[in-house]
């Protein structure tokens, strides 16, 4: 395997770790959301924003991981 492939595979693995961390963040934020009272509050809005941000980060990392994995296979 070439040095470039190893580098791309390492990048892909690191992105995968970010994706797993985002999944844990999403789970924690979901638990926080369920623990709050049903009344909308500023905290709920902040948690909602964090939840959406974690989902977006997970999708970005998934996309990047697929991209680098595909490039590594092509080389």
């Amino acid at each position: 395997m070439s040095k470039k492939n190893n580098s791309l595979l390492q990048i892909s693995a690191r992105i995968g770790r970010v994706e797993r961390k985002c999944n844990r963040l999403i789970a924690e934020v979901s638990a926080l959301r369920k623990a709050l009272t049903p009344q909308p509050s500023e905290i709920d809005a902040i948690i909602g924003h964090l939840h959406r941000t974690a989902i977006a980060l997970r999708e970005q990392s998934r996309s990047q991981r697929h991209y680098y994995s595909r490039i590594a296979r092509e080389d």
Side-chain angles (χ1 to χ4, degrees):
M1 194 177 284
S2 73
K3 189 173 186 175
K4 183 177 179 181
N5 280 350
N6 277 341
S7 177
L8 292 174
L9 290 174
Q10 288 173 344
I11 290 170
S12 179
R14 292 179 77 183
I15 292 171
R17 286 193 295 273
V18 169
E19 189 176 331
R20 287 188 295 279
K21 289 177 183 179
C22 288
N23 287 337
R24 286 195 304 268
L25 281 170
I26 290 167
E28 289 295 324
V29 170
S30 294
L32 282 171
R33 178 176 279 161
K34 289 177 185 175
L36 290 175
T37 60
Q39 300 170 338
S41 67
E42 186 177 331
I43 292 173
D44 193 40
I46 292 169
I47 290 173
H49 175 72
L50 289 171
H51 187 257
R52 290 186 300 276
T53 301
I55 289 171
L57 285 170
R58 179 185 61 190
E59 292 305 314
Q60 289 174 9
S61 68
R62 182 178 292 152
S63 173
Q64 290 295 318
R65 182 173 46 86
H66 289 298
Y67 172 77
Y68 283 108
S69 295
R70 188 180 71 226
I71 289 176
R73 284 192 303 267
E74 289 175 358
D75 287 341

